[in-house]
Amino acid sequence: MKALMMVFALSTVGCTHMRSLSVTTIPQDRSQPVEAVADRVIFFGINASNEYVDVLVDRLAEQCPKGKVSGLLTRTERSLVFPLVAHRVSVRAQGFCVAESAGAE
Amino acid sequence: MSVLLWAAMAGLGCVHSHHMTLSGDFDLPAELSEARTVKAEASQSVIMGFAKNTDYAKDAYERLGATCTNGTVTGIQTRYSTKLGFFSWENHIKMWGYCFD
Amino acid sequence: MFSMMFALVVSGCMTVHSVQLGDVDSTVVREGERFEIKLSAIGFNTEEIAELVKIAASSRQAQKRVESVEDTVAMFQQGPRTGDTVVDPRFSDRMRDELRKRCPSGRVSGLMTIRETADYPGLSGEIVKLIGYCGGDQ
């Protein structure tokens, strides 16, 4: 019985649940998709800061140096790494790099 | 009394959890009356908590974009909810927006 | 008895689950008209309802029966939750229609969407609130 419970618990490793999401205006020009992820493995629920998320904007900007990232779908996910011990929080952002033009509104 | 209780409680079996409703910005390239409403949805069935990704959100988003291929979709409203069930559930995302072709 | 008293004391407690804030155009916020849209549905908390029924139950046997009903219903309500469960999650779908009524031009800014719960014993108000500013025609 204990072995069965252990197998069941381990089989849930990687199970992912979405905590929140947000969507911004989807642009007309979708020729250049961009994507970035920021994540952290948290042990025993102890997490001192959420600054790991701050790199997300920089990573998106790096992929779109001469434009604007628009049509952003941002998802916050929680995945099980090891039952009771560790879980991963991931923030995924995907969008499109739109070249800035002189006639932009 | 117990029969009534069973009946009353059983009726609560088909329930949902409403996680969030979001309203995106309105970046209007023209008058709102010139836009057409577009919508898309996607869902994910989960049994015993086994779900490897949250791509249903991406699917809904891409489907919404596909309804307005050569235009801008703005004012996007998103609803994220879960239909609860017997050791299983169904995550559901629905999106609406205004498409300016 | 203590549980019931505690539940009555904390009734009406508000919990915020998520807040989303959009772009803020200072001109629209300063000169536009503020609007607020509140949509809600009644949420059910099976565990709290069962506790209240157990308090009212006349015998230990009746309490055990309530517990078994509660456990059975809980098996049919598995899944991730935000606030209490509702019968129909579509109560917020008309938010965009309400927004269109409040601001026909669609020139809105400072949109803030809040998902919150107002707790009462056994029941709750599951609320989606949208606050924004309407700039009107430009």
Side-chain angles (χ1 to χ4, degrees):
Chain A
M1 184 65 180
K2 279 184 186 174
L4 196 64
M5 295 284 286
M6 181 68 91
V7 167
F8 180 78
L10 287 172
S11 65
T12 61
V13 168
C15 283
T16 303
H17 165 60
M18 186 163 66
R19 302 298 298 273
S20 67
L21 81 159
S22 68
V23 183
T24 66
T25 297
I26 301 174
Q28 191 172 9
D29 178 12
R30 300 172 211 164
S31 57
Q32 199 181 340
V34 295
E35 189 169 345
V37 181
D39 60 3
R40 169 176 283 187
V41 177
I42 295 168
F43 293 91
F44 303 107
I46 299 169
N47 179 37
S49 104
N50 290 317
E51 286 176 9
Y52 65 94
V53 177
D54 298 353
V55 299
L56 212 49
V57 174
D58 294 331
R59 286 179 185 168
L60 286 169
E62 274 167 27
Q63 297 175 57
C64 191
K66 292 178 184 172
K68 174 180 157 183
V69 181
S70 190
L72 274 166
L73 169 70
T74 311
R75 296 178 266 170
T76 306
E77 301 174 342
R78 180 181 160 131
S79 306
L80 186 63
V81 175
F82 198 86
L84 301 176
V85 174
H87 68 273
R88 180 192 308 273
V89 178
S90 309
V91 183
R92 296 179 184 278
Q94 64 181 93
F96 303 96
C97 177
V98 179
E100 305 242 73
S101 57
E105 52 183 307
Chain B
M1 160 71 180
S2 62
V3 170
L4 284 172
L5 195 57
W6 272 100
M9 298 293 263
L12 299 175
C14 303
V15 291
H16 302 78
S17 182
H18 181 114
H19 303 300
M20 52 174 52
T21 290
L22 313 163
S23 185
D25 289 323
F26 281 64
D27 300 319
L28 305 179
E31 290 299 316
L32 190 56
S33 52
E34 294 178 30
R36 60 185 173 89
T37 303
V38 291
K39 62 182 175 184
E41 56 190 305
S43 53
Q44 176 195 52
S45 292
V46 179
I47 298 173
M48 301 287 282
F50 293 109
K52 293 302 176 189
N53 56 55
T54 63
D55 287 350
Y56 60 101
K58 196 170 102 171
D59 291 341
Y61 166 79
E62 286 173 352
R63 283 174 196 171
L64 188 70
T67 60
C68 187
T69 323
N70 297 316
T72 302
V73 185
T74 191
I76 300 172
Q77 179 178 327
T78 309
R79 167 168 51 88
Y80 170 36
S81 62
T82 297
K83 180 179 175 183
L84 309 180
F86 183 74
F87 290 102
S88 64
W89 53 88
E90 188 174 294
N91 295 314
H92 196 75
I93 299 243
K94 191 161 184 181
M95 295 184 184
W96 300 258
Y98 293 102
C99 169
F100 289 88
D101 289 303
Chain C
M1 179 58 84
F2 177 76
S3 308
M4 193 158 76
M5 283 178 63
F6 183 75
L8 286 169
V9 165
V10 300
S11 71
C13 268
M14 300 293 292
T15 308
V16 67
H17 302 293
S18 64
V19 179
Q20 182 203 25
L21 190 58
D23 287 345
V24 179
D25 184 329
S26 308
T27 308
V28 175
V29 171
R30 262 201 324 269
E31 297 172 8
E33 196 180 322
R34 185 182 185 277
F35 63 86
E36 184 173 312
I37 299 165
K38 207 166 174 176
L39 300 167
S40 63
I42 296 174
F44 300 90
N45 188 316
T46 316
E47 291 84 5
E48 282 180 18
I49 292 173
E51 284 299 314
L52 291 170
V53 174
K54 269 190 256 180
I55 290 168
S58 53
S59 65
R60 185 85 191 114
Q61 194 184 13
Q63 287 181 348
K64 282 191 180 297
R65 217 174 293 148
V66 172
E67 273 177 23
S68 68
V69 171
E70 180 193 350
D71 292 340
T72 307
V73 172
M75 282 197 291
F76 285 86
Q77 294 185 355
Q78 297 290 306
R81 295 190 194 198
T82 301
D84 287 340
T85 54
V86 295
V87 173
D88 189 349
R90 297 173 296 181
F91 66 90
S92 64
D93 287 4
R94 58 189 174 87
M95 190 164 78
R96 46 199 303 281
D97 296 328
E98 291 293 323
L99 193 155
R100 195 84 188 254
K101 277 184 212 170
R102 304 295 180 90
C103 192
S105 68
R107 306 236 174 247
V108 295
S109 187
L111 283 174
M112 183 160 69
T113 319
I114 302 163
R115 170 73 177 92
E116 57 186 9
T117 295
D119 274 316
Y120 299 96
L123 301 175
S124 64
E126 300 302 319
I127 303 163
V128 172
K129 192 159 72 174
L130 175 67
I131 299 168
Y133 295 82
C134 178
D137 292 317
Q138 289 189 355

